[in-house]
Structures are given as C-alpha cells and as structure tokens.
Amino acid sequence: LHYPLRRQRQMCIRDRYKSINACAVADEQLICTAHPDSGLVVTQLQPNDSHQLYELKDKKLGHFGDVNTVQFFPSGKVLLSGGADTQLLIWSLVDNGYCAASLKGTHTQGISDTDIIERGRNVISASRDGNCVLWDVPTQKAIHVFSSYSPINCCRAITPKILFGQGGDLSQKDNREVGTEGKLLLLAKENRELDVYDFSSKNKVFGLRSRAAVNACAYLDNSSLLAFGDQDGYIYFYDVRQPSAPLSETTVESPILSLSQSLNPDNIWASTADGRVLSLSPQDTSCSMCLVGSDCEPIRISRSLGPCNYLVTSDRMGVIRKFSK
C-alpha cells in the first residue's frame, strides 16, 4: 500500500502524566484521559492551550492500579471507567468528579474494554478472564455473563439493519435489560476469534477467525459492515448479512490497536503500533488518508459520542492530538 500523507489541522497537547492508556471525548473541548497510576484526568481543550479541570481519583472508591478504559455516557456529564482492579466505576462530572457507583464482584481479572448501551441504563464490560458482563447500572448488579473462554481485548454493542432470531425463551428476558432488543455483541479475543452474540437470546450467532489475536473491532452503520484488526496488522471487512466469507481484507504491516468509523461514514480509521492513523475503504482496501505527528509511538483513537468532524488520538508518551478538517 502507498499511503498519501496528510497533516490535517492539528492541535497537540502533552499531559503532565508520562503515559495515557485510553482517552474519551465528550465534545470538541472536553476530554478525559486514563493513566497507569489509577488516575483519570478531565481536561478542557482550548484552541491554543489546555486547561485541566480536575482529577478523578477518589481515595475510598477509586481504582487501584492501571485504568485501562474510559468512556463518556451519552449525556457527556458522566464517565465510565474500567481498570486492572476488576472494577467498573461511574463518575459524575456535575459533582466535580464524584464516584457515583461501583460495578464489581463478577470479573476475576482486569477489565480491558467497555461499551454503553443507548442512554446508559445498561453497560457491558470485557475482561482478560474471558467474560463479558451485561450490567444494570441502577442496581449495580450483573444481568448476564457471556463466557468466551479466552481473554477479550475489545467489546462493542451494535445495531444491525437485520434481526438475528436465534431462539431461546425471550419471555424470560430480565426486566432490567433496557435497549438491548435487536442488538448484537462483538467480542474480539486473544484466540484469533471474533464472536458475535445476540443480546435477546444470549446465543452465539456466528464466529469469525483471523491470523492472530484480534485487538479491535468496529461496525459501519451505513454499509452494515463489520471490521476487525489483529496483532499481525491485518484488517478484515465482513457484511453481517453474509458472514460466510470476508468482503475484503488488507494489511498495514503493524499491529492494529484501535478501529473507529472515519469522517467518511463508508471508511474506517485504524491506529497502529508504529504510530500511524489510516483511513481505509472496505471496498478496495485503499488508504485515502494517513495522519502524521506521532514519532513511531503506539497510538490509540479516542472514544467519542457518535460521528464527528474531528479525531482525537493519544499515545503512551502522554501526547494528545486533535485532528480536524
């Protein structure tokens, strides 16, 4: 592949911490970063500078160890974080970073990823213990555990355009489940597999296989395409309506760390371990854009609240970059 290099309009700040494990964006200004020392930092991004609002580090209810994942609820005023201490914590930004709830007691190893279902009554968490848990936030209790028997690197709740009827007694659905109807669960795993489950029946719909450990996955709503990337640098595109064979695949020759829908809704962003962020087309696997700025540092794409006209990335050197048109 030949990558056209484009330096989009870019803003770069350096966090006072050495390393950033994950970051999330609520709007064009508000960003939260997760760090290895059990801390979360909320920062207000300005055009020429940055201003730290506060640090989320409750000594009684906070994380103990690395914070691996962070994500804003749709309101943009509440945060969900997961750490190596097996806890999920919910933080209220309205109350200056008050830890409002703790979801724990089900995972036995560190949490690797999370996702929020619709407005946030239910959330999911994936762990190195091979389990993905569907949680009820108001009661802080687990509703269901999806067991995959392999460490999970990434989880996503998606809404396909077709329904997958997989049987099961749907009349026995837990009344604490809100917004899971018609949704699928994606689990990217260390054993080179991507499992797809139906939330309604809790059954496995189908499984896909890659050449190496699957690190990331994403769903393109416009085209009903499922994408996942592995440790060997391969990215696979499948149509969820016909998952028997890949629509296309490509390699970027570096481990894929994260995937996200691109500014073009038919393309996908992919970040790599050698510091590149690429915009790829599923149809012909061509690269339409390569964002530059990182000095060969592993880079991750931030979690954002839906499609937007900018992109925020972070790396282990504590640098946050915001790219815009």
Side-chain angles (χ1 to χ4, degrees):
L1 292 176
H2 298 282
Y3 306 119
L5 299 182
R6 298 189 183 182
R7 187 181 294 273
Q8 300 291 89
R9 191 160 62 88
Q10 177 185 154
M11 181 176 67
C12 178
I13 69 169
R14 183 176 295 276
D15 197 279
R16 66 185 180 87
Y17 289 83
K18 173 68 174 177
S19 180
I20 297 175
N21 289 345
C23 70
V25 181
D27 52 40
E28 290 200 32
Q29 283 78 39
L30 196 63
I31 184 170
C32 181
T33 52
H35 303 276
D37 69 341
S38 73
L40 290 157
V41 176
V42 178
T43 303
Q44 187 81 24
L45 299 181
Q46 302 295 341
N48 300 314
D49 199 357
S50 65
H51 174 63
Q52 181 177 319
L53 298 181
Y54 39 76
E55 182 178 357
L56 309 181
K57 197 173 182 179
D58 192 311
K59 293 182 179 179
K60 294 182 179 179
L61 301 174
H63 288 290
F64 301 94
D66 288 9
V67 183
N68 297 327
T69 177
V70 64
Q71 185 178 4
F72 279 94
F73 278 78
S75 66
K77 299 177 181 179
V78 183
L79 277 166
L80 174 68
S81 64
D85 57 1
T86 74
Q87 290 190 101
L88 277 177
L89 299 183
I90 296 175
W91 307 84
S92 172
L93 302 186
V94 176
D95 299 322
N96 292 327
Y98 170 71
C99 184
S102 174
L103 312 180
K104 57 185 178 180
T106 303
H107 289 298
T108 59
Q109 295 187 40
I111 293 173
S112 55
D113 199 17
T114 62
D115 204 5
I116 296 170
I117 299 175
E118 293 193 352
R119 297 181 63 183
R121 170 69 185 263
N122 294 158
V123 300
I124 56 174
S125 61
S127 169
R128 302 293 297 175
D129 62 10
N131 292 328
C132 182
V133 180
L134 174 65
W135 298 90
D136 177 49
V137 172
T139 62
Q140 303 177 38
K141 300 294 183 182
I143 298 175
H144 184 78
V145 178
F146 297 87
S147 297
S148 68
Y149 310 105
S150 175
I152 303 172
N153 296 322
C154 180
C155 65
R156 292 291 182 271
I158 68 169
T159 307
K161 294 182 179 179
I162 59 172
L163 296 178
F164 289 81
Q166 295 299 313
D169 188 358
L170 302 184
S171 64
Q172 299 300 316
K173 175 186 172 183
D174 196 305
N175 58 14
R176 295 174 296 173
E177 287 190 51
V178 177
T180 59
E181 297 86 357
K183 285 184 169 54
L184 297 179
L185 172 64
L186 309 181
L187 298 180
K189 306 190 300 179
E190 276 288 320
N191 66 351
R192 302 187 296 171
E193 293 180 353
L194 180 93
D195 287 346
V196 181
Y197 286 86
D198 175 38
F199 270 109
S200 296
S201 65
K202 307 298 187 293
N203 293 332
K204 183 176 177 179
V205 180
F206 58 86
L208 305 172
R209 196 162 180 84
S210 70
R211 295 172 172 83
V214 184
N215 292 336
C217 58
Y219 180 68
L220 301 179
D221 298 298
N222 283 9
S223 51
S224 298
L225 292 184
L226 169 64
F228 60 97
D230 67 19
Q231 185 67 18
D232 283 353
Y234 283 88
I235 301 175
Y236 307 83
F237 296 96
Y238 281 82
D239 190 327
V240 295
R241 298 163 295 188
Q242 297 177 335
S244 57
L247 178 68
S248 61
E249 63 179 69
T250 187
T251 179
V252 296
E253 300 178 349
S254 180
I256 305 299
L257 299 185
S258 56
L259 295 172
S260 177
Q261 186 163 308
S262 177
L263 304 179
N264 178 347
D266 295 323
N267 286 12
I268 195 165
W269 288 118
S271 73
T272 66
D274 63 1
R276 289 175 292 161
V277 180
L278 311 171
S279 179
L280 301 171
S281 168
Q283 283 69 31
D284 55 10
T285 66
S286 63
C287 175
S288 60
M289 186 182 301
C290 179
L291 304 181
V292 298
S294 174
D295 187 16
C296 298
E297 289 292 335
I299 194 166
R300 294 183 183 275
I301 300 170
S302 70
R303 301 289 292 272
S304 60
L305 296 178
C308 48
N309 59 359
Y310 60 91
L311 181 74
V312 175
T313 66
S314 63
D315 62 33
R316 64 182 182 182
M317 297 302 294
V319 178
I320 303 166
R321 294 179 176 87
K322 176 186 173 184
F323 297 90
S324 57
K325 290 184 177 181

